[in-house]
Amino acid sequence: MSIRCLFQPSALHWAWRTTALKSTLGRQQGVLRWTHSGGHSYRAVIFDMGGVLIPSPGTVAAEWEVQNHIPSGTILKALIRDGDSGPWMRFMRGEMTTEGFLEEFRRLCSEIAKTSVPVNSFFSLLTSEQVTKQFPVMTQAISQIRAEGLQTAVLTNNFYLSNGKSFLPLDRKQFDVVVESCSEGICKPDPRIYQLCLQRLGLQPSEAIFLDDLGQNLKAAASLGIHTIKVVQPEAAVKELEALLGLPLRVGIPNTRPVRKTMEIPEDALEKYLKGLLGTHDTGPMELLQFDHGQSNPTYYVRLADRQLVLRKKPPGTLLPSAHAIEREFKIMKALGNAGVPVPTVLDLCEDSSIIGTPFYLMEYCPGIIYKDPSLPGLEPSQRQAIYAAMNQVLCRIHSVDLQATGLDSFGKQGDYILRQVQTWTKQYRAAETSSIPAMERLIQWLPLHIPKQQRTTVVHGDFRLDNLIFHPEKAEVLAVLDWELSTLGDPFADVAYSCLVHYLPSSFPILRGFRDMDVTQLGIPTMEEYFRMYCLQMGIPPIENCNFYMAFSFFRVAAILQGVYKRSLTGQASSAIAKQSGKFPEFMAELAWDFAIKEGFRVFKEMPASKPLVRSYHAWAGSRPQRTPAGVRSSSTVAAASPSQETKGGLIISPEGLSPHVRKLYDRLLEFMKQNVYPLEPELQRHQASADRWSPSPLIEDLKEKAKAEGLWNLFLPLETDPEKKYGAGLTNVEYAHLCEVMGMSLYAPEIFNCSAPDTGNMELLVRYGTEEQKARWLVPLLEGRIRSCFAMTEPQVASSDASNIEASIREEDGSYVINGHKWWITGILDPRCKLCVFMGKTDPQAPRHQQQSIILVPMDTPGINVIRPLSVYGLEDPPGGHGEVRFKDVRVPKENIVLGPGRGFEIAQGRLGPGRIHHCMRLIGHSERALSLMKTRVMSRIAFGKPLVEHGTILADIARSRVDIEQARLLVLKAAHLMDVAGNKAAALEIAMIKMVAPSMAYQVIDRAIQAFGAAGLSNDYPLAPFLAWARALRFADGPDEVHRLTVAKMELRNHSRLQEPAAPRV
Ligand SMILES: Cc1cc2nc3c(=O)[nH]c(=O)nc-3n(C[C@H](O)[C@H](O)[C@H](O)COP(=O)(O)OP(=O)(O)OC[C@H]3O[C@@H](n4cnc5c(N)ncnc54)[C@H](O)[C@@H]3O)c2cc1C
């Protein structure tokens, strides 16, 4: 089945399931031609029920155990415990009620499993409609047997249900005789019950065949003289029965239907063509059916005389030149067939459209098993393992085909397969895009930067999945690989990864069933990693490390394909109703792809060799300068450009010199801007903050904002990850912004000038990530333009707000609005007259689970009921004009649509908001520290005490050295966190983010404190930025969560990783 067809409703069931070829059945039919064999004349077939007509309790139990994490084999052990006198046998003899049985059985199972076993759930499953469907092959066989005038019987060990009826989920009309253990009070293998059955059939034992899945039941029947067939697989058992009876029992071609009106082909012309081709003079009507699937390339079953064929053609109508290239399918299958790869045997390619209207090709029909469900229900773990091993093996065979010898060396381009695929699917995705999918945007950026070097070029199948393989009915052997529509030459690992997609899809996934929710090890299926290893071993190549890249690529490709299908469904070109509901699938696939990209990024990061030591030249701060002027430009004499590998592989850029030319230009422009415009104005800005006008914004700041905007130094903070299309920000990575943010951190006034200050940055990021288009238009746009400001209201005086789940403010739904009541404090920015938006956190449902009680809602600051009580101060600093306010919200009514993301999502949003915010704070703190150290160095070189410059005193030197080391350590950790956020995502960087939030404020506090000490009393004054820096560094040990909370996070993660590196147990002495 082509992946392109996934959305077609029929494809949800099965794609040309038994499409192919090599008519083993045909040949058998030819041999048997339904003569009675062995001279026997059987007159009845007796069927057991569970394991023969419907799945056996043992199989149902095994799967139920996997899903419910019950030790494997528990149920089976309990079923046979105490033999004849055990609860199961007594239940089946009708001696126990359902309730009584379940009680005793629960006790027994729990004793065996040494844990509580919910047997009721097993019993419900066992008797559910879901598992009691009669095997179609058996239904077909029974009706054929009866059509031939033979009798049928069911002889079952069964039980009474609590409604008083016996458990017999079969159509009784199929049987001449029904013998049930619960009503007879006798169970198999007791010979009496077989005799009873024979008696009711009116037959001798030798006139009957008995089918059962249990050896002991068969043995008992055989000892009476009944012929027996052991049922392992219904299909194989029916084949055996056919041989014994000499009757065809499997009629009809699975998954076919009469040809659809719109898909009719001229039968006479086809028949004439086939007779010519096959040299068949045999008469008899040609039989033509259509496979349910194959809308992409319509596929037909054709029977002519004793030949069974499959015809595959192009669809009618105008086609894109490269689409539906059945000629390519024919070519590859022919070449591979000759090279010994199991493919359907192709017979003929007819490119003459005059015969049936379009070109077509023919292959032989091949019956066999196609496993629809990749979890292989009903099989033993060892069988599953063998099936997957066979699948892996056949893939190796495909990838080992000699391209030159088979003439396939021009079947596709050689080399750069993945890159070309990424480009192709990106283009196709763009053409079909209906709305922005963030994960897709990230992948479009990320994939080209991480393309592995292609080691080999082989035939690639392009859609290699279990359900495109026909298996031998009795052994784990692939008879044919189907659907070569997407085949080409390429990187073989793409096929390996593609076959593992099902490992990560849920079993309920509507378009492609997976088994992510099952324990593959218990099932016996190799994990993705094992499957890759198995492949490498079989191919004789070293194991690969970047399988996560290939998984990311495969999911990306599927996402792009599904987006195309969805788009077509919207424009009405696809017929499937399901397609219309499927807008979410591309995003789902893209997110899975991004999860793998994160894993790959994390692996690359961890394995990255130490970067080339790029030099940061600290000693080159531009000579002595006025004391209020901060450290200037770092020397660029030691610039080492980032090597291409650092850029592509995501090497850590530890110095601004390593930034790309574009970002480096921004960095230099920013330094210059600070030097020319910010530092000189600091005294004036500080005077404004101490004046009576302090609660109004300084006009100087407003002027500088315009200037910064004009120079492109605006909204630099929004990370590429949140804003992949650079719709809102400068599109910098976190590492790039880290270097720039540090420069902004040199002045407390700078961040606002560049529209990069908290809490606006966090609020803007929140709106970009989670806001609706209306919310963005109303709030995000003016914030991005710097026309308004905002605040974030979470902390409350009456509860310990370190634990956000404590927050008590209420957000109550009333008459189509939300009504807010609460008391908040430390709300930064709320006093600013430009503050128009309050991002408010409160509880919408105090009864919900702990982390789903809170919601975040957008509150316009001019809503009645908001009362700012007072500004709070940090060590006496009020931080005007934004300040940090205490505020009451009384019956504040806001429209319902102001809720962000929906009720109960507050916790999740707050977490998402704080991650990037934390790292920005830390970057700025590095800036504070650098400036403090620079001021200190200038000061101690010019002041003399006890006969020499302060700088010559050992304690001062020690302090300078200590500060340099402290800053350096913290910066590296901050950059590591930023880098990890870029290559592996915010989630993967959670530990590093918590660590820097622990480290940076304390480090900055100490560096600034040493600078203050070196300054003498002047350091405490407002003449220098040191005192406010110190206050801010101290405050940041609380803001965004106190140190202790971050320590807790780090410790918890550390302990979680403990098992990885456990010390060996101490030897006993
Ligand atoms: C300058 C500044 C600006 C701020 N801006 C904002 C803002 O804009 N919006 C906003 O909503 N809030 C803001 N805050 C508030 C800040 O987020 C909170 O102060 C912080 O979350 C701590 O909450 P709390 O003050 O209620 O302390 P509590 O929760 O009462 O905690 C007190 C102390 O208990 C200890 N503690 C807490 N948890 C643990 C633990 N797990 N293990 C060990 N010890 C623990 C810590 O020592 C902690 O400092 C700001 C704070 C400051 C100082």
Side-chain angles (χ1 to χ4, degrees), residues 666-691:
L666 275 181
Y667 180 87
D668 290 342
R669 222 183 295 155
L670 183 64
L671 280 180
E672 192 57 21
F673 192 98
M674 295 284 290
K675 204 163 104 188
Q676 297 299 332
N677 302 298
V678 181
Y679 304 128
L681 284 187
E682 278 183 337
E684 186 50 40
L685 293 171
Q686 201 194 54
R687 264 194 296 280
H688 178 79
Q689 280 194 315
S691 75

Side-chain angles (χ1 to χ4, degrees), residues 811-831:
I811 307 176
R812 190 167 33 85
E813 208 179 324
E814 194 182 286
D815 302 333
S817 304
Y818 279 112
V819 177
I820 296 171
N821 280 287
H823 184 184
K824 303 276 181 185
W825 73 344
W826 290 105
I827 310 309
T828 301
I830 200 163
L831 291 115

